[in-house]
Amino acid sequence: IEETRAKVAQFINCEQKNLVFTSGATDSLNLVALTYGLNNLEDGDEIMLCPQDHKSAVLPWYNVQSMLAAQGKKIAIKHFAIHEVGDYDLRSIKELVSPRTKVLAMAHIHHVFGLDMEVSKIREIVGPDVVISLDCSQSVGHTKVDAKALDVEFISFSGHKMFAAPGTGGLYVNPRVADKIKPIRLGGQSPFEIKDNGLEFSASPTLSLHQLI
């Protein structure tokens, strides 16, 4: 498994410890929303997404919005537009982004139109503080996916898009947000101890991401 992890990490140009194996892009995209969004979004924060993107990249954020609403936190989801030819409307993104924008979900290559969605230009528009969740399902087997060059926080992809076995996938987590995610599945190998006042994190700071998530 670690040999495979090393090969995939080399393929997308990231450190091995920053790559998590999942059951596919849908699993990866849901993990981003639940492990990061659920634990970092606060009342009044905003999420930006395009409703014409794949449902796996869109619906998890509505799920988080609903879960946080049950906690009394109102999260706004703003829709940015897409042109008829299939590229994102950058003017729409410029108009919608605000100081309360915390997350932007987007595709690298669109699943319908097949266009490169200009990650670098969007990063320039939203600034360095907005977390970008990038769906690379359609790009990973067809064009270069470079985790270090893309300047995003999360990269999700499926194995079967590049001739791997069905039910496999990956999630890259940028080190700058690694300490902000919390696991959603706990069990025998989870880095927690049960204390009188609840759970206490018991792992070393160098614990690999696949053990955290």
Side-chain angles (χ1 to χ4, degrees):
I1 292 177
E2 292 309 313
E3 288 182 9
T4 303
R5 192 190 308 276
K7 289 179 180 179
V8 177
Q10 183 180 25
F11 182 69
I12 66 169
N13 191 27
C14 75
E15 297 295 326
Q16 188 173 338
K17 64 181 180 179
N18 297 320
L19 177 67
V20 183
F21 285 140
T22 68
S23 65
T26 296
D27 189 26
S28 298
L29 292 161
N30 275 274
L31 277 173
V32 173
L34 293 172
T35 63
Y36 179 83
L38 200 59
N39 293 290
N40 291 277
L41 293 172
E42 298 295 340
D43 186 51
D45 285 346
E46 300 169 355
I47 300 166
M48 291 178 60
L49 54 81
C50 178
Q52 282 75 43
D53 283 352
H54 196 283
K55 287 184 177 180
S56 294
V58 172
L59 296 183
W61 295 107
Y62 280 95
N63 185 35
V64 164
Q65 182 190 44
S66 176
M67 295 170 76
L68 290 175
Q71 301 176 21
K73 298 178 181 179
K74 186 176 181 180
I75 306 300
I77 294 181
K78 293 185 173 182
H79 294 169
F80 56 86
I82 189 169
H83 291 128
E84 289 184 3
V85 294
D87 58 332
Y88 291 141
D89 184 341
L90 300 185
R91 179 180 295 179
S92 172
I93 295 174
K94 288 180 182 178
E95 292 174 350
L96 290 174
V97 68
S98 80
R100 296 311 303 263
T101 305
K102 303 302 179 183
V103 174
L104 184 142
M106 62 173 291
H108 189 198
I109 301 292
H110 201 270
H111 72 293
V112 174
F113 301 103
L115 296 181
D116 186 315
M117 305 306 273
E118 303 179 297
V119 179
S120 60
K121 289 184 179 179
I122 291 174
R123 169 57 78 191
E124 187 176 325
I125 292 169
V126 301
D129 297 329
V130 174
V131 168
I132 295 180
S133 174
L134 188 66
D135 180 5
C136 288
S137 300
Q138 312 305 323
S139 59
V140 71
H142 301 280
T143 189
K144 187 173 182 60
V145 174
D146 187 328
K148 294 180 180 177
L150 282 169
D151 191 23
V152 298
E153 281 68 31
F154 300 101
I155 293 175
S156 300
F157 56 94
S158 291
H160 72 273
K161 296 288 186 177
M162 48 182 174
F163 307 108
T168 62
L171 170 63
Y172 162 76
V173 180
N174 194 306
R176 62 179 176 244
V177 293
D179 62 344
K180 296 181 179 180
I181 60 175
K182 292 184 179 180
I184 57 170
R185 293 188 289 261
L186 302 178
Q189 299 300 313
S190 298
F192 292 91
E193 294 182 2
I194 300 174
K195 301 294 183 179
D196 290 340
N197 60 342
L199 294 178
E200 181 178 296
F201 189 71
S202 61
S204 68
T206 56
L207 190 71
S208 296
L209 283 167
H210 72 281
Q211 295 170 282
L212 283 168
I213 297 180

